[in-house]
Amino acid sequence: MKLSGGVEAALHCCVVLTAATGPVPAARLAQLHGVSATYLAKQLQALSRADLVQSVQGKSGGYVLTRPPEDITVLDVVEAVEGTQSTFVCTEIRQRGPLASPPEACTAPCAIARTMAVADRAWRAALREVSIADLGRLVGGDYDTDVLGKVGDWLVSAEP
Amino acid sequence: MKLSGGVEAALHCCVVLTAATGPVPAARLAQLHGVSATYLAKQLQALSRADLVQSVQGKSGGYVLTRPPEDITVLDVVEAVEGTQSTFVCTEIRQRGPLASPPEACTAPCAIARTMAVADRAWRAALREVSIADLGRLVGGDYDTDVLGKVGDWLVSAEP
Ligand code: FES
Ligand code: FES
């Protein structure tokens, strides 16, 4: 089981957007992260569809977060990119074969599906506990210099 | 992010093996679950590689669990099928682009990767808490009749 690479890019985008003093063009975000514009456009579209970022039109237009980074969780971003469906999909294997459980005995999920769902919820709960603002603070604390400040300035500067 | 369908089949196999009174031929396990023999063979090979089941040779040969079901966790089975690598793969995106962090500043994982790793561990911890024996009890408790007993008898019976 592997998350798509888009999750890493989307989370990094959200964190750097917390440091930008204005809207950031998609091309600038792609350049900063050293990824192709089309690849990043896909992630930004996913974030936009989930209403986590929005595109501001105009000369100095670009992407901004739609709400304070305290109010965006890591789970919001992961689900924007990966979807909200559970990591475990039960195909009701118990209802197949010669000793199949009859449908009327299968109104509740099977014990195996329940166990997998508990673990899925634990994963999501851990991702829900951390906000994009938390990530910004953590990333900032990892370096001696004000990395995010520098990134923020660069993102909205005119030079290519 | 989605687990492969093999996880459901592998977990169901392990649970029904707890009820079998002897080795169960792979073909019998496939028949019980209404899945193709080649599909199930792949899952049984994964379980066997992880040393959770073993194949007993001979006339009444087949698969048995290698240890008491109390000592096999759901995580053991999930990792046998899906591997142990983390659900989140960090590609060190922070080391790319014009403001790349220098490698010497990146000896520890980035805050985003750390957060994703915490969630991955929470998921695995939840799966580690439940054993195959627990699942057997839970599955048994879901039905009025002794479903696993019936399945166990059928698995080692000679009739096709
Ligand atoms: S029937 Fe799907 S997990 Fe048991
Ligand atoms: S560099 Fe990979 S998650 Fe931050």
Side-chain angles (χ1 to χ4, degrees):
Chain A
M1 181 169 75
K2 208 166 129 337
L3 288 163
S4 79
V7 169
E8 183 183 21
L11 283 168
H12 271 267
C13 278
C14 289
V15 171
V16 300
L17 282 179
T18 67
T21 52
V24 182
R28 202 83 176 147
L29 283 168
Q31 203 187 343
L32 174 71
H33 292 112
V35 298
S36 84
T38 40
Y39 175 77
L40 203 68
K42 222 190 288 179
Q43 319 313 327
L44 289 168
Q45 269 153 30
L47 293 173
S48 177
R49 235 181 288 116
D51 200 29
L52 303 178
V53 302
Q54 71 185 47
S55 155
V56 177
Q57 303 301 319
K59 195 164 132 341
S60 53
Y63 280 97
V64 293
L65 296 176
T66 53
R67 47 185 200 260
E70 287 77 18
D71 299 341
I72 301 177
T73 69
V74 173
L75 181 64
D76 290 332
V77 176
V78 169
E79 291 190 336
V81 175
E82 287 282 331
T84 54
Q85 69 281 11
S86 176
T87 48
F88 178 77
V89 177
C90 166
T91 67
E92 288 292 330
I93 202 172
R94 62 182 169 172
Q95 294 190 45
R96 305 171 67 163
L99 299 188
S101 302
E104 60 272 21
C106 297
T107 49
C110 123
I112 292 171
R114 295 202 300 274
T115 300
M116 297 304 293
V118 166
D120 186 272
R121 283 195 294 271
W123 178 68
R124 280 173 217 273
L127 296 178
R128 199 183 288 113
E129 262 172 37
V130 181
S131 72
I132 296 301
D134 293 332
L135 284 186
R137 276 186 291 272
L138 288 168
V139 167
D142 281 348
Y143 298 91
D144 300 329
T145 55
D146 178 19
V147 173
L148 275 181
K150 244 176 66 184
V151 166
D153 292 341
W154 183 87
L155 283 173
V156 296
S157 69
E159 302 87 60
Chain B
M1 182 170 74
K2 206 165 131 334
L3 288 162
S4 79
V7 170
E8 183 182 21
L11 282 168
H12 272 266
C13 277
C14 288
V15 170
V16 300
L17 282 179
T18 66
T21 52
V24 182
R28 202 81 176 148
L29 283 168
Q31 204 187 343
L32 173 70
H33 292 113
V35 297
S36 84
T38 40
Y39 175 76
L40 203 68
K42 222 189 290 179
Q43 319 313 328
L44 289 167
Q45 269 154 29
L47 292 173
S48 178
R49 234 180 290 117
D51 200 29
L52 304 177
V53 303
Q54 71 186 47
S55 156
V56 177
Q57 304 300 321
K59 196 166 134 334
S60 54
Y63 280 96
V64 293
L65 296 176
T66 53
R67 47 185 200 261
E70 287 76 18
D71 300 340
I72 301 177
T73 69
V74 173
L75 181 64
D76 290 331
V77 176
V78 170
E79 291 190 336
V81 175
E82 287 282 331
T84 54
Q85 70 280 12
S86 175
T87 49
F88 178 77
V89 178
C90 165
T91 67
E92 288 292 330
I93 201 173
R94 62 182 168 172
Q95 294 190 45
R96 305 172 64 164
L99 300 187
S101 302
E104 60 272 19
C106 298
T107 49
C110 123
I112 292 172
R114 294 202 300 274
T115 301
M116 297 305 293
V118 167
D120 185 271
R121 283 196 293 272
W123 177 68
R124 279 173 218 273
L127 296 177
R128 198 183 289 114
E129 262 172 36
V130 181
S131 71
I132 296 301
D134 293 332
L135 283 186
R137 276 186 292 272
L138 288 167
V139 167
D142 282 348
Y143 299 91
D144 301 329
T145 54
D146 178 19
V147 172
L148 276 180
K150 244 176 65 185
V151 166
D153 291 343
W154 182 88
L155 283 174
V156 295
S157 69
E159 303 88 59

